[in-house]
Amino acid sequence: MNIDTLIHARWIIPVAPDNRVLEDYSIAVQGGRILELLPTEEARDKYAPAHEHELTRHALIPGLINAHTHAGMSLLRGLADDLPLMTWLNDHIWPAEKRWVNEEFVADGTRLAIAEMIRGGTTCFNDMYFFPDVTARVASAAGMRAVVGLILIDFPSAWAGDADEYLHRGIRVHDDFRGNTLITTAFAPHAPYSVSDAPLERVRTLADELEIPIHMHVHETAHEVTEAEQRDGRRPLRRLGELGLLSSSLTAVHMTQLTEDEIGALAESGASVVHCPESNLKLASGFCPVTRLLAAGVNVALGTDGAASNNDLDMFSEMRTAALLAKGLSADPGSVPAATALRMATLNGAMALGIADQTGSLEAGKAADIVAVDLGGVETQPLYHPVSQLVYATGRDRVSDVWVAGRQLLNGRELTTLDREKILARTADWNHRIADVDELLEFS
Amino acid sequence: MNIDTLIHARWIIPVAPDNRVLEDYSIAVQGGRILELLPTEEARDKYAPAHEHELTRHALIPGLINAHTHAGMSLLRGLADDLPLMTWLNDHIWPAEKRWVNEEFVADGTRLAIAEMIRGGTTCFNDMYFFPDVTARVASAAGMRAVVGLILIDFPSAWAGDADEYLHRGIRVHDDFRGNTLITTAFAPHAPYSVSDAPLERVRTLADELEIPIHMHVHETAHEVTEAEQRDGRRPLRRLGELGLLSSSLTAVHMTQLTEDEIGALAESGASVVHCPESNLKLASGFCPVTRLLAAGVNVALGTDGAASNNDLDMFSEMRTAALLAKGLSADPGSVPAATALRMATLNGAMALGIADQTGSLEAGKAADIVAVDLGGVETQPLYHPVSQLVYATGRDRVSDVWVAGRQLLNGRELTTLDREKILARTADWNHRIADVDELLEFS
């Protein structure tokens, strides 16, 4: 039978069903979708592929899903470090964004972010930033899967002047990309402290109508919760609940402050939590109680947050940090074992973003979002358990090949749809402009 | 002036003096030592080098010092995961070691470890394992700097039958490598719970006579401390103090359990602490109070621990984890800023190992232990602050070149003194033998 692509691998870890490692298996791909997983010996007899890949030292895993990032912010990577969230935002990031963010900034920053993500085995990202139309266009052109956040915030930006305009422009992005198989959308109200009740109520209604998720920073720091209690008499999650936002449509990011009752309410609502351990550590924002959330049955996905607060978009590192940190905090080395970390970075992400029918695991019928990891180097030998190796010993630099919807975006670590040299040149240009102004500010 | 080597770099971060980033500087190397650091423009006029390197996108840093590892254990990488320390040791690691550890195992495991360390920018490791003579021989042959631990433990092993034999054989290793410029030694009593008073008292006397450090696991878990209190009526650190071991010779590893009084006593004694954040997280051993130790003036170095409990020997990852975790635990994003993390991984390590006159910073007169990191890739651009980039955005895969005592051990990511293919073949052989027996045990 003639097919597009046949990939033979030493191991395949499909993530669903759980805890399965297939040895000497192959994936058959046709029309951008996974046709089947079968033993390599059978695959060679059965299929005549246009493209065939022999990955004898490699594990194939579902493409990683970065469930929370701000791709455009990659141009601000490392601009300010070792500061608390509100100082970092108020004194560094927001002024820089006010000065620099426009369509060109978002296009260049997003292209840089996608190059980094593809090279690191990420095949889908859940974004929240200004100019989501630009993000969608750049991702689609690169062949990258993305959930583009229709941002909403109480203060004006280069993208929109007020809530009406944010929503209006957001819905236009949703409509413009409706037919695109790689791009879906989510409403992305920034945070409880930066979006008022009225626009949040409209988001709830519109999200129900359009059947898209709501992606929001919630309970990122203790300060956020305390400040809301003082001003509003309620914790932010309770306010969101009373506004009707606590539902299976909600993808709540960070969630470092959670009572047992709140964990119960999250589980009951079917909302998802996106854990961003490295950003939370770096900004000293607090600890998301991942072990308790998972025990309560809450869907927990993983995100890097933006490169300005991480300072990378490395989902391998994020998996590892999530697995290690959960053990330390719960005093239980069995918490978040390797397979759970991998599931959080793949299928749980797809569930949080409402695209688990399309991606998140290597199963027949889903899109061929596939990552090959070379486990043959000195850094990953010997090898007793491939899943352990992927989470505890491998880095993103071992990702050799990446496919999204069957299209190969990384070939032997080379990007196929993005011009690396051009991205570096554009980034260098922004680097000089931003650094020069930043230096002026420091000495003013 | 004719010299051996001249390295031109975009940035040089010497670590001492503190907080200095030199731009467009060069390092002149002669006879294995750093002759001087000077502006590239001057260097080109002044020196006629036999070897010249143009590293236009790179930062040069002092070689990283892995202040606690068990190199030979690399052959057990990923054999058992997600288990508590004592189960992991008693049911998995110690039986595997009993079955497998011999001179050949230590030689092959150490060669694998050194290959991984060199490729990751580590130029010196502080080891604790059986057959330290083999470790010393393998490291010296590879051109790698090492502090070889003269191990001491109350139970017999393939290396020695009792305390007398451990000490006797250890001292012979010390004598055999006395003239070697790359190899120094330390006494390495395993832990308070595994070494009795009498041999510890002899270690103290011998360490004073030979003027070498004492490298020991101390207060790794709460269980260790509680159990000692019940059995002995004292916390282990107090017992070590009463045995005369709490001094500037002591390099105490892990230290997850520390009272304010103990931190004060450590500071007063001049002892060093080796923080192994990833191993402590993975085994859920507890948290070393790094922020408080540093504030008290204690010298804190960094180690990976063995690859069986980490599961890598990646000092870049360890720097990053140390910097992030300290911020999270202290709720202070200013804790362990990037420059401090880099210092912990370099100069503080050299101080802990008693070799700060030889290595740990890029200063005239010290050995030329130098690491070049390519910061030109999409993962590390834009670049506002090189030190931030090195700790928060770079990975070990960006290490391009490594020199130890002026000899180039890594050239464009290729090992020059070790045979990569042979190491992989030997590792594969051990992998099959160990996995087969492990499988038998699981089904028995």
Side-chain angles (χ1 to χ4, degrees):
Chain A
M1 183 184 168
N2 290 319
I3 57 167
D4 294 338
T5 304
L6 189 59
I7 313 171
H8 311 295
R10 177 76 180 84
W11 300 277
I12 298 179
I13 295 141
V15 172
D18 271 353
N19 297 319
R20 189 163 295 183
V21 178
L22 306 169
E23 289 200 53
D24 299 317
Y25 256 61
S26 304
I27 300 186
V29 176
Q30 175 64 12
R33 302 207 160 263
I34 296 172
L35 205 56
E36 71 171 316
L37 280 67
L38 72 173
T40 296
E41 215 169 307
E42 287 176 35
R44 291 193 200 278
D45 285 345
K46 186 168 176 183
Y47 293 113
H51 304 280
E52 193 163 10
H53 303 269
E54 307 278 351
L55 301 172
T56 50
R57 297 175 314 198
H58 300 65
L60 299 183
I61 57 173
L64 302 176
I65 295 177
N66 188 344
H68 178 66
T69 192
H70 312 282
M73 291 182 82
S74 284
L75 292 176
L76 305 178
R77 184 203 309 278
L79 183 66
D81 291 303
D82 305 327
L83 299 167
L85 177 66
M86 295 317 296
T87 313
W88 178 77
L89 281 175
N90 286 321
D91 299 352
H92 297 269
I93 296 303
W94 285 345
E97 288 187 327
K98 196 170 169 193
R99 174 80 178 79
W100 297 113
V101 172
N102 59 24
E103 296 197 32
E104 187 199 359
F105 177 98
V106 174
D108 289 334
T110 302
R111 234 174 253 119
L112 174 65
I114 293 175
E116 181 182 356
M117 287 194 275
I118 293 172
R119 279 169 53 88
T122 295
T123 57
C124 176
F125 66 104
N126 185 32
D127 202 65
M128 178 193 286
Y129 211 56
F130 306 104
F131 299 98
D133 55 335
V134 174
T135 309
R137 214 157 49 229
V138 167
S140 179
M144 182 77 166
R145 194 179 298 284
V147 181
V148 170
L150 312 176
I151 195 167
L152 177 62
I153 192 162
D154 277 351
F155 57 73
S157 68
W159 168 242
D162 59 18
D164 272 356
E165 202 186 352
Y166 276 104
L167 287 170
H168 183 75
R169 296 197 72 174
I171 290 163
R172 201 156 66 202
V173 175
H174 172 83
D175 291 343
D176 286 351
F177 288 86
R178 194 188 290 268
N180 190 309
T181 55
L182 293 175
I183 307 297
T184 58
T185 55
F187 281 105
H190 175 263
Y193 59 84
S194 56
V195 188
S196 328
D197 285 0
L200 283 179
E201 282 173 336
R202 291 192 50 207
V203 160
R204 187 206 52 202
T205 311
L206 289 164
D208 287 349
E209 280 175 27
L210 302 177
E211 295 183 337
I212 62 174
I214 298 170
H215 170 200
M216 191 173 193
H217 300 113
V218 187
H219 290 203
E220 182 166 0
T221 62
H223 171 81
E224 172 191 335
V225 175
T226 317
E227 198 272 338
E229 281 176 325
Q230 284 166 358
R231 200 192 45 216
D232 182 55
R234 291 174 297 179
R235 290 165 68 89
L237 192 62
R238 188 165 150 221
R239 173 170 155 243
L240 294 181
E242 291 174 6
L243 290 168
L245 269 79
L246 183 54
S247 75
S248 61
S249 303
L250 182 67
T251 296
V253 181
H254 297 310
M255 287 296 211
T256 72
Q257 311 296 317
L258 285 171
T259 64
E260 282 305 317
D261 283 353
E262 286 171 336
I263 290 173
L266 281 167
E268 204 176 320
S269 72
S272 289
V273 168
V274 181
H275 178 38
C276 299
E278 295 188 358
S279 172
N280 293 161
L281 286 169
K282 186 151 184 292
L283 296 164
S285 296
F287 301 107
C288 176
V290 175
T291 306
R292 284 154 57 210
L293 285 165
L294 290 172
V298 176
N299 180 55
V300 182
L302 280 183
T304 59
D305 210 342
S309 69
N310 185 305
N311 296 343
D312 61 38
L313 307 177
D314 180 353
M315 285 293 290
F316 275 92
S317 171
E318 214 70 37
M319 273 199 283
R320 185 180 155 107
T321 302
L324 295 183
L325 187 62
K327 298 176 208 316
L329 291 176
S330 65
D332 173 9
S335 176
V336 185
T340 301
L342 181 60
R343 192 190 157 97
M344 288 164 69
T346 53
L347 190 55
N348 289 12
M351 288 168 64
L353 311 186
I355 53 174
D357 57 331
Q358 293 299 312
T359 190
S361 56
L362 300 177
E363 295 180 275
K366 285 198 180 183
D369 294 357
I370 304 169
V371 167
V373 187
D374 181 351
L375 298 177
V378 292
E379 288 80 4
T380 44
Q381 290 292 318
L383 189 152
Y384 299 101
H385 305 288
V387 179
S388 157
Q389 214 79 339
L390 286 166
V391 173
Y392 297 127
T394 311
R396 61 176 169 178
D397 59 297
R398 309 307 300 169
V399 170
S400 61
D401 301 273
V402 172
W403 292 263
V404 172
R407 184 179 180 192
Q408 189 163 13
L409 305 188
L410 192 74
N411 183 351
R413 293 209 56 64
E414 291 303 317
L415 296 163
T416 64
T417 57
L418 289 167
D419 182 338
R420 185 176 164 279
E421 293 310 315
K422 200 169 160 189
I423 289 172
L424 285 171
R426 301 289 301 141
T427 303
D429 186 45
W430 282 106
N431 194 346
H432 293 136
R433 286 152 71 186
I434 295 170
D436 285 352
V437 168
D438 203 57
E439 223 159 86
L440 280 179
L441 288 174
E442 266 181 47
F443 292 99
S444 68
Chain B
M1 181 182 170
N2 291 320
I3 57 167
D4 294 339
T5 305
L6 190 59
I7 313 171
H8 311 296
R10 176 76 181 85
W11 300 277
I12 297 179
I13 295 141
V15 172
D18 270 353
N19 296 317
R20 188 164 295 183
V21 177
L22 306 168
E23 290 200 53
D24 299 318
Y25 256 61
S26 304
I27 300 187
V29 176
Q30 175 63 13
R33 303 206 161 263
I34 296 172
L35 204 56
E36 73 171 316
L37 279 68
L38 72 173
T40 295
E41 216 169 306
E42 287 177 34
R44 290 192 200 281
D45 286 346
K46 186 169 177 182
Y47 292 113
H51 304 278
E52 192 162 11
H53 303 269
E54 305 278 352
L55 301 173
T56 51
R57 300 174 312 197
H58 301 64
L60 298 183
I61 58 173
L64 302 176
I65 294 176
N66 188 345
H68 177 66
T69 192
H70 312 282
M73 291 182 82
S74 284
L75 292 175
L76 306 178
R77 184 203 307 280
L79 182 66
D81 291 303
D82 304 329
L83 298 167
L85 177 65
M86 293 319 296
T87 313
W88 178 77
L89 281 177
N90 286 322
D91 300 352
H92 297 268
I93 296 304
W94 284 344
E97 288 186 327
K98 195 170 170 191
R99 174 82 178 77
W100 298 112
V101 172
N102 58 25
E103 295 198 34
E104 186 199 1
F105 177 97
V106 173
D108 288 335
T110 302
R111 235 174 253 119
L112 174 66
I114 292 175
E116 180 182 356
M117 288 194 273
I118 293 172
R119 280 170 52 89
T122 295
T123 57
C124 176
F125 65 105
N126 185 32
D127 201 65
M128 177 193 286
Y129 211 55
F130 306 105
F131 299 98
D133 56 335
V134 174
T135 308
R137 213 156 51 227
V138 168
S140 179
M144 181 76 165
R145 193 179 300 284
V147 181
V148 170
L150 312 176
I151 195 167
L152 178 62
I153 191 161
D154 277 349
F155 58 74
S157 68
W159 168 242
D162 59 19
D164 271 355
E165 201 186 354
Y166 276 104
L167 287 171
H168 183 74
R169 296 198 71 173
I171 289 163
R172 200 156 66 201
V173 175
H174 173 82
D175 291 343
D176 286 350
F177 288 87
R178 196 188 288 269
N180 191 307
T181 55
L182 293 174
I183 307 297
T184 57
T185 55
F187 282 105
H190 175 262
Y193 60 85
S194 56
V195 187
S196 328
D197 285 359
L200 284 179
E201 281 172 339
R202 290 192 52 205
V203 160
R204 188 207 52 203
T205 310
L206 289 164
D208 286 350
E209 278 173 28
L210 303 177
E211 294 183 341
I212 63 174
I214 298 170
H215 170 200
M216 191 175 193
H217 300 115
V218 187
H219 290 202
E220 181 166 2
T221 62
H223 171 82
E224 171 190 337
V225 176
T226 316
E227 198 272 337
E229 281 175 325
Q230 285 167 358
R231 199 192 46 216
D232 182 56
R234 291 174 296 180
R235 290 166 67 89
L237 192 63
R238 188 164 150 221
R239 173 170 155 245
L240 294 182
E242 289 175 7
L243 290 167
L245 269 78
L246 184 54
S247 76
S248 62
S249 302
L250 181 67
T251 296
V253 181
H254 298 310
M255 288 296 212
T256 72
Q257 311 296 316
L258 285 170
T259 64
E260 282 306 317
D261 283 353
E262 286 171 336
I263 291 174
L266 281 167
E268 204 175 320
S269 72
S272 289
V273 168
V274 181
H275 178 38
C276 300
E278 296 188 358
S279 172
N280 293 161
L281 286 169
K282 186 150 183 291
L283 296 165
S285 298
F287 302 105
C288 176
V290 174
T291 307
R292 284 154 57 210
L293 285 165
L294 290 172
V298 176
N299 180 55
V300 182
L302 279 184
T304 60
D305 210 342
S309 68
N310 186 304
N311 295 346
D312 60 38
L313 307 177
D314 180 352
M315 285 293 291
F316 276 92
S317 172
E318 214 71 36
M319 273 199 282
R320 187 181 154 106
T321 301
L324 295 183
L325 187 63
K327 298 176 206 316
L329 290 176
S330 64
D332 173 9
S335 174
V336 185
T340 301
L342 181 61
R343 193 189 156 97
M344 288 165 69
T346 53
L347 189 55
N348 289 10
M351 288 168 64
L353 311 187
I355 52 174
D357 57 331
Q358 292 300 313
T359 189
S361 57
L362 300 177
E363 295 179 275
K366 284 199 181 183
D369 294 357
I370 305 169
V371 167
V373 187
D374 180 351
L375 297 177
V378 293
E379 289 80 4
T380 43
Q381 290 292 317
L383 189 151
Y384 299 101
H385 306 287
V387 179
S388 157
Q389 214 79 339
L390 285 167
V391 173
Y392 297 127
T394 310
R396 60 175 168 177
D397 58 297
R398 309 308 298 169
V399 170
S400 62
D401 301 272
V402 172
W403 293 263
V404 172
R407 182 178 181 194
Q408 188 162 12
L409 304 189
L410 192 75
N411 183 350
R413 294 209 55 63
E414 292 303 317
L415 297 164
T416 65
T417 57
L418 289 167
D419 181 338
R420 186 177 164 278
E421 293 311 315
K422 199 169 161 190
I423 289 172
L424 285 172
R426 301 288 301 139
T427 303
D429 185 46
W430 282 106
N431 194 346
H432 292 136
R433 286 152 70 186
I434 296 170
D436 286 351
V437 168
D438 204 57
E439 224 159 86
L440 280 179
L441 287 174
E442 265 181 48
F443 291 100
S444 66

